[in-house]
Amino acid sequence: MRLLLVEDDVMVASGIKLGLSDAGYAVDWVGSAERALEVLAQEAFDVAVIDIGLPGINGLELTRRLRSSEVESKAMPVLILTARDALQDRVQGLDWGADDYMVKPFELPELLARLRALMRRSQAATSAVLNFGCIELDTAGRRAGARQAPQEGENEGKLLAIDLGPREWTVLEYLLLNAPKPASKEKLLQALTGWDREITPNAVEVYVSRLRSKLEPHGVALRSIRGFGYRLELMPEAL
């Protein structure tokens, strides 16, 4: 998932970015609301984490403008961060369009859990486990697998683990969140790298190929859509 972090404190931003990157997010960081507005007018993000105490335009005003302007990511979930524990700040932030808030200092696991909840809500998902066919991706437990048919006397079939690398995980998560609709190659690249273009568009095909070889034995195909991207489909024998 591609995340925009708006935080003016370099040390705080570095810590958050490191933790979120380790969790599989592609994190782009800006230090002001003004720069965030410039970026969001041109590029799309899956979620934004915005500090209230920004210089110039503060985080509350930035959130209000995001909800009222024609920005690329107008409907994206927004989580605000604040060192203020005042009720009015929290109320105002939610009234002006924020989806959730956290008060500093906070623990990284809680931030990750709240971000997962926001993503599920934005994608109309009700569980931390994403499914397609027999494929399951537990975003909270960081486990991927294929659910086997239950044997006699079993309520639920066993989960056969699928070993995924970090970028394979990101590709599969993005595909599952979009399924059955296709995901564009450009969006996948952004979800993998953000502004830190460590891989090329052609390299996306490498991760897709690796992922395809791990899904097809379980009856799930990863189809290429020429000129656009990729889509998960059930193979005929899995129907």
Side-chain angles (χ1 to χ4, degrees):
M1 297 293 102
R2 190 182 185 195
L3 181 147
L4 180 66
L5 173 62
V6 190
E7 169 63 67
D8 64 311
D9 188 309
V10 176
M11 291 296 291
V12 172
S14 297
I16 294 175
K17 182 174 182 180
L18 178 61
L20 294 178
S21 297
D22 287 346
Y25 288 87
V27 183
D28 295 321
W29 166 55
V30 295
S32 69
E34 290 82 356
R35 178 56 182 151
L37 288 169
E38 292 175 2
V39 168
L40 288 165
Q42 304 174 29
E43 301 186 49
F45 294 83
D46 297 299
V47 61
V49 175
I50 300 174
D51 180 43
I52 285 184
L54 298 171
I57 299 173
N58 67 28
L60 293 176
E61 175 62 18
L62 171 59
T63 301
R64 187 190 69 79
R65 294 191 187 188
L66 294 185
R67 295 312 191 208
S68 62
S69 302
E70 294 301 322
V71 299
E72 186 72 15
S73 305
K74 182 178 180 180
M76 71 178 173
V78 171
L79 185 150
I80 54 175
L81 302 176
T82 178
R84 314 171 192 173
D85 199 14
L87 175 62
Q88 184 57 36
D89 288 325
R90 302 197 300 271
V91 170
Q92 190 174 14
L94 295 170
D95 282 345
W96 283 9
D99 298 280
D100 200 357
Y101 70 89
M102 291 190 69
V103 177
K104 299 178 183 177
F106 54 83
E107 297 293 333
L108 180 63
E110 182 181 0
L111 174 59
L112 292 171
R114 287 177 180 268
L115 289 174
R116 288 193 296 268
L118 289 179
M119 291 305 303
R120 290 198 302 272
R121 198 180 310 161
S122 71
Q123 298 290 336
T126 58
S127 169
V129 180
L130 304 175
N131 304 86
F132 189 86
C134 69
I135 301 299
E136 294 186 8
L137 196 73
D138 184 345
T139 60
R142 299 294 291 185
R143 292 185 296 269
R147 182 68 64 182
Q148 306 299 292
Q151 300 298 311
E152 185 176 351
E154 292 181 339
N155 294 324
E156 186 177 52
K158 295 180 180 179
L159 187 68
L160 182 63
I162 299 176
D163 185 28
L164 298 178
R167 283 177 170 152
E168 293 167 2
W169 176 284
T170 297
V171 171
L172 181 56
E173 182 180 26
Y174 203 87
L175 290 167
L176 287 169
L177 284 169
N178 283 274
K181 297 182 293 183
S184 74
K185 190 173 182 179
E186 179 184 359
K187 294 296 185 183
L188 282 172
L189 180 63
Q190 292 178 350
L192 286 166
T193 65
W195 293 331
D196 300 325
R197 292 300 172 95
E198 301 171 1
I199 64 174
T200 65
N202 288 338
V204 174
E205 298 177 6
V206 174
Y207 296 108
V208 165
S209 178
R210 293 176 183 173
L211 187 58
R212 181 180 287 125
S213 68
K214 296 178 180 182
L215 297 180
E216 288 185 348
H218 304 293
V220 174
L222 210 173
R223 304 295 188 196
S224 297
I225 301 175
R226 188 173 181 180
F228 184 75
Y230 307 93
R231 177 175 59 207
L232 293 173
E233 295 180 3
L234 291 178
M235 298 171 71
E237 59 269 27
L239 296 175

